[in-house]
Amino acid sequence: MLHCLVNDSRVGSLLSIFLLILGCATASEITFELPDNAKQCFYEDITQGTKCTLEFQVITGGHYDVDCRLEDPDGIVLYKEMKKQYDSFTFTASRNGTYKFCFSNEFSTFTHKTVYFDFQVGEDPPLFPSENRATALTQMESACVSIHEALKSVIDYQTHFRLREAQGRSRAEDLNTRVAYWSIGEAIILLVVSIGQVFLLKSFFSDKRTTTTRVGS
């Protein structure tokens, strides 16, 4: 916890905003490689009554799908989906303990995946700790709160756009590879057909010399 004493109230408000923004707990955002026939699990300690949100998306690999499973500390399945490209799930922790969520690519035999997930635990603290005070917020404080909310929305949009850009780039590279292989195959076929036509035409116009043998008496 950072503390700072500033004489100017306006400067102090702005400084406290930046300190709060830097001190806010961030959600767990991870992008990882999931090999074929593999399973990757993550664990998070959560207190009872905390609202959590799990959001994931497959960026590259195969049909862009993965299995996802979420369990509470007692092993009860809270969420389970098979071969999903992306999804979001919100729940409230019913008890204290370690929650486990796993991503599985065991159904794939040769394709590895790149998976992104964002696991948010709890809600962001208020921008001003005394926001529930009796007096209303000043105009500058209200503007700062609005800007803070807008910046969070911008960060979320940027994250989703980066994921879409990465997924689109992967699809484009895969399509480019397929087109290149197809072009090479067409070139080989054309070469074989051309050589075959040359030999076929040559056989039509070649002089067939017949040899006659006279048998004398």
Side-chain angles (χ1 to χ4, degrees), residues 123-196:
E123 299 180 353
D124 293 336
L127 192 58
F128 296 97
S130 57
E131 196 169 10
N132 296 325
R133 59 193 176 187
T135 58
L137 295 176
T138 64
Q139 185 176 2
M140 177 177 291
E141 290 173 341
S142 300
C144 291
V145 171
S146 300
I147 293 173
H148 179 64
E149 296 297 329
L151 286 176
K152 290 197 299 183
S153 299
V154 169
I155 293 174
D156 291 337
Y157 280 121
Q158 285 181 335
T159 300
H160 286 88
F161 282 136
R162 289 193 186 100
L163 292 176
R164 291 183 180 180
E165 188 271 336
Q167 191 177 59
R169 183 175 63 251
S170 175
R171 290 179 183 270
E173 291 176 352
D174 181 61
L175 181 60
N176 180 62
T177 302
R178 294 184 181 183
V179 171
Y181 286 145
W182 180 261
S183 300
I184 294 173
E186 284 186 335
I188 294 175
I189 293 173
L190 288 175
L191 181 61
V192 172
V193 170
S194 300
I195 294 174

Side-chain angles (χ1 to χ4, degrees), residues 9-181:
S9 60
R10 292 179 298 178
V11 177
S13 299
L14 292 175
L15 184 57
S16 62
I17 291 171
F18 286 109
L19 293 178
L20 285 171
I21 292 175
L22 292 175
C24 289
T26 58
S28 300
E29 296 186 36
I30 297 178
T31 302
F32 65 97
E33 295 285 339
L34 186 61
D36 52 284
N37 294 317
K39 181 179 180 181
Q40 183 71 43
C41 294
F42 301 88
Y43 303 85
E44 183 73 23
D45 293 330
I46 305 175
T47 57
Q48 183 178 0
T50 304
K51 184 178 180 181
C52 306
T53 300
L54 173 63
E55 181 179 2
F56 67 91
Q57 180 176 346
V58 181
I59 302 176
T60 62
H63 296 287
Y64 301 90
D65 53 357
V66 71
D67 297 342
C68 183
R69 181 186 180 99
L70 174 64
E71 298 179 359
D72 68 359
D74 295 331
I76 299 175
V77 179
L78 303 178
Y79 172 84
K80 180 180 179 180
E81 289 292 341
M82 311 294 289
K83 296 184 178 181
K84 294 286 290 186
Q85 294 184 349
Y86 59 89
D87 202 4
S88 178
F89 176 70
T90 301
F91 68 98
T92 301
S94 59
R95 60 176 58 249
N96 298 331
T98 302
Y99 287 72
K100 179 177 73 172
F101 56 98
C102 301
F103 298 96
S104 174
N105 193 30
E106 295 175 331
F107 58 86
S108 179
T109 56
F110 58 89
T111 305
H112 74 279
K113 311 289 177 62
T114 302
V115 183
Y116 161 86
F117 74 85
D118 179 11
F119 192 65
Q120 299 179 358
V121 179
E123 299 180 353
D124 293 336
L127 192 58
F128 296 97
S130 57
E131 196 169 10
N132 296 325
R133 59 193 176 187
T135 58
L137 295 176
T138 64
Q139 185 176 2
M140 177 177 291
E141 290 173 341
S142 300
C144 291
V145 171
S146 300
I147 293 173
H148 179 64
E149 296 297 329
L151 286 176
K152 290 197 299 183
S153 299
V154 169
I155 293 174
D156 291 337
Y157 280 121
Q158 285 181 335
T159 300
H160 286 88
F161 282 136
R162 289 193 186 100
L163 292 176
R164 291 183 180 180
E165 188 271 336
Q167 191 177 59
R169 183 175 63 251
S170 175
R171 290 179 183 270
E173 291 176 352
D174 181 61
L175 181 60
N176 180 62
T177 302
R178 294 184 181 183
V179 171
Y181 286 145

